[in-house]
Amino acid sequence: MRNHYSIHHRLTTTSVWKLIALTLISGLISLACSAQQTTTTPSPEASPATSPTAEETTAPVTSNVTETTKNPLADLAAAARAGQPLYETNCADCHGKTGQGDGPLAESIEFKPADLTKGDVPADPDGKLFLTIKNGKMKEGKVSMPPAKKLTDEQIWQVIAYVRTLAKK
């Protein structure tokens, strides 16, 4: 009986340690993934001196955003530089690298992604774009664009600053 208890105890202890190790590993992987998604790498054209700092891109709280709200980031050029990698990670699969609605997933989804370089989008006010990105968009009772749940409000404003540069290219 004592031998059975000893084996059971060892198995339980080993299982607990494996569970702790798996939890730590999954936590580290999750942390690494979220850091990778929110890390802003400057574009090749940007020198380290022109890379945005947290101070340059900090946005005030945006709980009262309306369709007419203007982008609250003080330095829109720095915000656009910070927004480019966020756009490439979170938007380009559908909207395309150049924003023309021709991303690699565009053909496989029910509603064609908006062309961000012409038409309504460049003319839409910042607040309308913010609300669309934050809350997603419905069309014919179906989700035509999911909400960007992984992006903070500041990151959404950075993406908007970058999207504004796409129409000018």
Side-chain angles (χ1 to χ4, degrees):
M1 190 67 139
R2 186 165 193 242
N3 217 3
H4 176 71
Y5 172 77
S6 179
I7 292 170
H8 177 72
H9 181 70
R10 276 192 303 235
L11 287 174
T12 304
T13 304
T14 302
S15 298
V16 169
W17 283 112
K18 285 181 180 177
L19 181 62
I20 290 170
L22 287 172
T23 303
L24 288 172
I25 291 169
S26 68
L28 290 172
I29 290 170
S30 176
L31 184 62
C33 288
S34 66
Q36 182 181 5
Q37 288 178 348
T38 58
T39 301
T40 55
T41 25
S43 62
E45 306 83 57
S47 68
T50 61
S51 297
T53 64
E55 215 170 78
E56 293 173 315
T57 60
T58 302
V61 176
T62 55
S63 58
N64 296 322
V65 174
T66 67
E67 285 196 0
T68 59
T69 301
K70 291 186 179 186
N71 193 326
L73 299 176
D75 185 343
L76 293 179
R81 286 191 302 276
Q84 181 177 1
L86 295 168
Y87 172 88
E88 289 170 355
T89 300
N90 297 283
C91 312
D93 282 345
C94 295
H95 292 283
K97 186 169 177 138
T98 60
Q100 296 176 327
D102 59 352
L105 297 179
E107 294 299 319
S108 65
I109 53 180
E110 186 172 354
F111 299 104
K112 180 162 175 38
D115 183 335
L116 307 176
T117 65
K118 60 184 178 185
D120 292 338
V121 176
D124 283 342
D126 294 340
K128 184 172 183 180
L129 297 180
F130 178 92
L131 293 171
T132 300
I133 295 168
K134 178 92 173 170
N135 302 320
K137 191 172 184 177
M138 299 289 286
K139 187 174 186 178
E140 299 172 14
K142 298 178 183 175
V143 175
S144 62
M145 184 181 126
K149 293 181 181 180
K150 292 180 182 178
L151 296 178
T152 65
D153 289 356
E154 178 178 0
Q155 290 172 325
I156 293 172
W157 288 119
Q158 291 169 339
V159 168
I160 292 168
Y162 177 69
V163 165
R164 295 292 188 209
T165 69
L166 295 175
K168 298 173 186 173
K169 291 183 178 182

